[in-house]
Amino acid sequence: MSAVPGQTVGPFFHLGLAYPQMNELVPPAHPRAVRLHGRVTDGAGAPVPDAVIEIWQADPQGHVVRRPGSLRRDGWTFTGWGRAATDPDGFYSFATLEPAPTETGKPAFFAVTVFARGLLDRLFTRAYLPDDTDALAADPLLSTLGPQRRATLVTERSEQSLLFDIRLQGDGETVFLSYPRLRDAWA
Amino acid sequence: MNTQSDINQEIAAAAQQPGGPQPKIDYPPYRSSALRHPKQPLQLIDPESVELWAPAFGHRDVADDEADLTIQHAGTPLGERIVVTGRVLDGDGRPVANQLVEVWQANAAGRYRHQRDQHPAPHDPNFTGVGRMLTGPDGTYRFQTIKPGPYPWRNHLNAWRPAHIHFSLFGSDFTQRLITQMYFPGDPLFPYDPIYQSITDPKSRELLIAQYDHDLTTPEWNTGYRWDIVLTGTHRTPLDTEDNDS
Ligand SMILES: [Fe+3]
C-alpha cells in the first residue's frame, strides 16, 4: 500500500499542536530532572523560530514506556514522550529524566523528530548521552560517521543540562536519519 | 516579489524530474524551504530501541468531545458543516488502533485563530479550528467540523493555499510519524500551490485528497468526506504488535 506523503507543519501549528506542559516530561523541579535543550538554526545560521521538536525516550531504567498521559500530564507518570516549539530565538527546551540504554552495551539516546515551516517533510535524528564512550564507539550509526558529523548527534553535558543544537542545513548540518521502510522517501 | 507565472514555471520545471512518493524537501518554488532542508543525504539505519515503538495515548489524553470542532463555543460556527472520517492503516494494511490524531485548520473564511495569521478575513468567535481524537480498534477516526476556506500567503504575489486540514498522526512505531495536509476534491488552486506540487508524483499527491461521500451526510445537518491514511510500514513483527496495548 502506498504511504500518504508528508507536508509541512506550516506556520500555524501552535494552534493544533501546542498544549500545557507539553515539554515537561517531568516537572522542572523534579530532583532528577535534566534539561535537554538547544537551538534550531537554518542554512544561514539564523534561528528557526517556527520549528517543533518531539522526543521519545526510554526511562532511567532502560524501559520503553507504554503509558498514556503525555497530553494531560499528572506530574507523576513518566510517559517518555514530549513536544516543544522553538521560541523567537530558535531555542527549545525539555524537562525530562535521562534515558538509560535499553540493552547493555548500547548507548542511551533520545529519538528526535523535527518539523518546521519551510520543511516539507519531517526529519528524524538521535541525541545521544555523551558519557559511555565505549558504547558510543561501538554504535553502528556513530561509528560510520566522521568526527564532525558524529559530533552533531552527541549531546554536551553540563550541570543538569544536555545541550543538543539542530542545524537544518550547511556548516555542522545535523545528521538526519532514514529507516529501511522509508527508503523511498524524497527519491 | 515573484509572480504566480514565475512560480508556475518553476513548478513545471521541477515536475520534469520524476519524483518519489514524498515531497521534494529541496523545492525552490516553496521559498521558505531554501535554507531549511538538509543537503547531506539521510543516514540509513536500522531502527533500534525506542525507535521500534511509538508513544502510547489513551482516553485520559483526549476527551470524546474534542472530535467535534463545532461545539467548542456558545454559538454555532459559520460555514459548511462536514464530517471527516477514514481509517489509519500501516504500510501492510493493518489498522493503527488507539493512536492519537490531531487536526487544525482555518475557519470558513480562511482565517486561522493564530496571532501570526494576518489575512484580513473575519475570525469566527464560535470556531477555534482544533480537534483531537483516538483511532478505534479498526483504525477509524472521525470528526465534525466546518469546511475551511482557502487563504493567501506570502510565498509570491497573489499566492493562495487550496483549502486544507492539517493532520498529525502516529503509527505503532516511531518511524511512522506523519504530519500532512488533507485537501478537498476538485480544488481549482491545486496547480498553483507549491506546497501541494512539491510532491511531484501525481499519484502520490492525489493520496492527500479526500473523497466526497454522500453516505456520510446527515439530513438537514452535514455533508461528509472520507480520507484513508496509509502510514509507512512498521519495523516490528505482527507478534510484537499484539502485546502493544498493555
Ligand atoms: Fe494551513
Side-chain angles (χ1 to χ4, degrees):
Chain A
M1 302 179 82
S2 307
V4 159
Q7 292 268 265
T8 180
V9 74
F12 305 128
F13 59 79
H14 307 86
L15 178 66
L17 297 181
Y19 62 90
Q21 295 169 298
M22 62 181 182
N23 62 340
E24 296 180 6
L25 288 81
V26 294
H30 188 288
R32 292 168 66 197
V34 66
R35 183 168 180 239
L36 173 70
H37 64 118
R39 190 177 215 189
V40 184
T41 49
D42 70 11
V48 176
D50 38 20
V52 184
I53 311 299
E54 291 176 353
I55 58 168
W56 170 229
Q57 63 167 104
D59 72 9
Q61 285 73 46
H63 297 137
V64 178
V65 184
R66 303 296 305 143
R67 278 190 295 270
S70 298
L71 266 73
R72 303 265 159 87
R73 306 273 190 205
D74 64 8
W76 300 98
T77 308
F78 185 74
T79 65
W81 185 84
R83 173 184 286 161
T86 52
D87 73 9
D89 297 312
F91 291 107
Y92 75 91
S93 174
F94 292 94
T96 188
L97 301 174
E98 293 195 18
T102 52
E103 268 178 74
T104 30
K106 297 270 190 181
F109 65 86
F110 299 89
V112 179
T113 317
V114 181
F115 306 93
R117 180 182 69 83
L119 189 57
L120 278 156
D121 202 3
R122 43 101 189 92
L123 298 171
F124 295 120
T125 186
R126 287 180 183 177
Y128 287 87
L129 297 192
D131 317 284
D132 188 343
T133 43
D134 290 345
L136 292 170
D139 184 74
L141 166 60
L142 294 180
S143 56
T144 59
L145 300 169
Q148 260 190 325
R149 298 273 290 153
R150 178 188 192 276
T152 69
L153 298 182
V154 182
T155 58
E156 273 177 55
R157 180 187 292 281
S158 54
E159 202 180 328
Q160 284 202 305
S161 153
L162 294 166
L163 181 66
F164 185 70
D165 289 328
I166 298 170
R167 295 181 183 86
L168 295 178
Q169 187 188 87
D171 266 355
E173 184 176 301
T174 299
V175 173
F176 296 105
L177 306 176
S178 183
Y179 301 94
R181 300 204 67 181
L182 310 183
R183 217 168 233 178
D184 290 342
W186 318 333
Chain B
M1 204 182 236
N2 292 107
T3 62
Q4 182 70 55
S5 72
D6 297 331
I7 295 293
N8 290 351
Q9 281 173 27
E10 291 181 34
I11 288 175
Q16 293 308 306
Q17 288 154 27
Q22 296 295 327
K24 294 188 179 209
I25 56 166
D26 176 5
Y27 193 70
Y30 177 31
R31 295 292 189 244
S32 322
S33 73
L35 291 169
R36 292 186 170 194
H37 66 85
K39 292 189 168 174
Q40 299 286 331
L42 299 179
Q43 198 74 25
L44 179 68
I45 58 163
D46 285 322
E48 294 181 278
S49 178
V50 283
E51 290 164 338
L52 292 165
W53 301 88
F57 298 94
H59 288 287
R60 61 175 277 197
D61 290 299
V62 184
D64 287 346
D65 62 6
E66 291 185 77
D68 190 341
L69 286 73
T70 67
I71 58 165
Q72 296 169 352
H73 299 274
T76 307
L78 294 170
E80 240 176 288
R81 188 185 287 109
I82 60 173
V83 153
V84 180
T85 186
R87 291 177 79 203
V88 184
L89 303 170
D90 74 15
D92 304 307
R94 284 192 295 257
V96 175
N98 220 25
Q99 259 304 7
L100 177 67
V101 179
E102 296 162 286
V103 295
W104 69 100
Q105 62 167 94
N107 70 21
R111 183 90 189 254
Y112 281 91
R113 189 174 282 220
H114 190 288
Q115 71 183 62
R116 287 187 49 194
D117 186 357
Q118 298 301 317
H119 173 34
H123 279 298
D124 183 339
N126 292 312
F127 191 70
T128 305
V130 180
R132 293 190 188 96
M133 65 227 83
L134 296 172
T135 55
D138 66 345
T140 296
Y141 73 89
R142 181 187 177 96
F143 61 98
Q144 179 120 178
T145 188
I146 292 294
K147 194 174 177 192
Y151 60 87
W153 58 311
R154 295 187 175 142
N155 188 67
H156 53 277
L157 189 65
N158 210 14
W160 289 81
R161 295 294 331 276
H164 60 273
I165 299 178
H166 295 264
F167 272 70
S168 163
L169 300 137
F170 296 79
S172 53
D173 76 34
F174 170 77
T175 65
Q176 293 173 290
R177 185 80 177 91
L178 175 72
I179 288 186
T180 191
Q181 304 180 21
M182 183 203 92
Y183 298 91
F184 292 87
D187 197 312
L189 292 167
F190 287 146
Y192 307 104
D193 179 41
I195 292 181
Y196 179 68
Q197 296 293 336
S198 68
I199 306 148
T200 52
D201 171 27
K203 279 210 187 77
S204 286
R205 66 180 180 246
E206 282 161 16
L207 296 172
L208 295 178
I209 305 174
Q211 289 185 320
Y212 175 73
D213 185 346
H214 203 69
D215 291 340
L216 294 172
T217 56
T218 307
E220 319 300 322
W221 193 249
N222 67 268
T223 59
Y225 290 86
R226 185 173 296 280
W227 187 48
D228 291 329
I229 304 163
V230 178
L231 305 177
T232 57
T234 168
H235 292 85
R236 292 207 315 277
T237 66
L239 207 65
D240 288 335
T241 310
E242 275 163 27
D243 66 352
N244 152 12
D245 291 328
S246 54

